[in-house]
Amino acid sequence: MTQNCSIPPILLTNTACFFDVDGTLAKIKMRPEWVMIPKDIKQALCTLSVITNGALALISGRPIVELDNLSAPLCGPVAGIHGAERRDAQGKLHYVILPMNIKTVLRQELKKSVSVFSGCHMEDKGEAFALHYRQGKNYHKQMLAIAEEQVKRYPELALQLGKYVVELKPASVNKGVAISNFMQETPFIGRIPLFIGDDLTDEAGFKEINRLQGITIKVGPGNTVARYHLNDVEHVHKWILSIAKQHKKHFIKTKHSVLEVV
Ligand SMILES: [Mg+2]
């Protein structure tokens, strides 16, 4: 479904922008804590946020607290843990919470099961549990089997596969639902949505944006329902800088105020 032709021109004043983070705004590193978004890209995102009147949100598998640290000084609407946590444009927080008894069992059992495999570790995100195997790349099947066992046991859970990660998250949560929630609220409502992502977790977001007749952009290789394509994080950066530059000029000219744009 992906087209090789270039992304259509967009008018930011009529667009709602949604961005995945790891593998989209930031290069993937061997350890998640080494990941960073370059300063000029964070500044450009702030510019885009001002020009879209705040209709810009990060949509990620990371918790909101990590996303705020990664993207500062940007601190607007955001969905973390694939949408289990969401901060709307008014700053109100919305949570989907797993039952405490399930979380207690998962914490204990997943940690024990995963620790047997060299290079693998369990990340406790509070409302989701990620089994990472980036440093133990041969253990995909084993991580999947551990996670599938818990999904069979608890219907409240769903599997989310990603790049060298198998995740257990609340069944009602995905990036499509998070985007749908934003699109029903001010300042997103009525705008043309755009979403850029690189991984399997972004496909639910692409489906929702395609349904809303928006613009979907897949970063890197892999099957996708997204309609446009960028090769890698560097191409995403170039595209963001170019639209920020184009719109900044126009915005300053029309608003007669440089101070409104970062
Ligand atoms: Mg990603």
Side-chain angles (χ1 to χ4, degrees):
M1 198 166 181
T2 303
Q3 298 174 359
N4 282 324
C5 58
S6 52
I7 299 163
I10 61 161
L11 185 62
L12 280 176
T13 48
N14 192 30
T15 304
C17 296
F18 299 99
F19 294 99
D20 168 53
V21 176
D22 293 72
T24 299
L25 294 177
K27 285 183 188 172
I28 290 174
K29 302 283 183 187
M30 192 55 89
R31 298 186 66 91
E33 62 269 29
W34 294 350
V35 164
M36 50 85 69
I37 303 171
K39 195 177 170 189
D40 59 339
I41 301 305
K42 291 193 279 190
Q43 285 171 338
L45 290 172
C46 290
T47 300
L48 264 52
S49 178
V50 170
I51 298 171
T52 56
N53 197 28
L56 180 146
L58 304 181
I59 312 282
S60 170
R62 287 179 184 260
I64 288 177
V65 64
E66 287 183 20
L67 295 169
D68 282 348
N69 283 334
L70 270 172
S71 63
L74 186 74
C75 186
V78 59
I81 316 181
H82 311 284
E85 302 177 333
R86 195 173 71 86
R87 183 172 65 219
D88 66 25
Q90 277 65 50
K92 188 178 169 193
L93 291 161
H94 308 258
Y95 296 103
V96 175
I97 293 170
L98 284 172
M100 191 56 79
N101 62 322
I102 296 181
K103 288 193 279 196
T104 305
V105 170
L106 290 177
R107 247 173 224 127
Q108 288 168 353
E109 293 191 4
L110 291 175
K111 195 171 182 182
K112 196 175 163 194
S113 307
V114 171
S115 65
V116 176
F117 300 98
S118 169
C120 302
H121 74 278
M122 187 271 281
E123 180 190 3
D124 178 359
K125 296 182 175 182
E127 303 309 324
F129 297 85
L131 314 184
H132 295 277
Y133 58 97
R134 186 166 290 276
Q135 292 172 73
K137 289 182 180 165
N138 295 327
Y139 294 125
H140 167 75
K141 275 188 187 167
Q142 288 83 349
M143 295 303 109
L144 189 59
I146 291 168
E148 280 178 338
E149 189 188 323
Q150 299 295 350
V151 170
K152 276 185 203 153
R153 188 174 169 194
Y154 298 116
E156 295 89 342
L157 297 173
L159 266 188
Q160 177 62 62
L161 304 186
K163 289 175 181 167
Y164 304 112
V165 64
V166 177
E167 212 161 332
L168 289 156
K169 63 175 185 180
S172 61
V173 157
N174 66 54
K175 291 192 177 184
V177 174
I179 287 170
S180 171
N181 287 331
F182 279 124
M183 288 305 294
Q184 293 170 53
E185 299 167 352
T186 305
F188 298 89
I189 194 165
R191 290 170 172 264
I192 298 166
L194 174 147
F195 180 42
I196 311 184
D198 73 305
D199 208 348
L200 293 173
T201 178
D202 301 309
E203 293 298 315
F206 293 146
K207 275 183 204 158
E208 176 60 12
I209 300 251
N210 285 343
R211 190 184 72 76
L212 297 169
Q213 301 185 319
I215 298 166
T216 43
I217 306 165
K218 160 87 172 175
V219 182
N223 289 334
T224 183
V225 297
R227 293 183 171 142
Y228 298 93
H229 182 254
L230 286 169
N231 283 345
D232 50 29
V233 172
E234 281 177 16
H235 283 80
V236 175
H237 288 172
K238 278 183 192 164
W239 180 78
I240 288 173
L241 290 171
S242 113
I243 57 163
K245 195 176 165 190
Q246 285 164 26
H247 283 77
K248 196 169 168 179
K249 264 189 210 163
H250 178 72
F251 187 79
I252 292 167
K253 213 191 278 179
T254 53
K255 297 278 179 183
H256 305 290
S257 169
V258 183
L259 294 174
E260 287 183 64
V261 181
V262 178

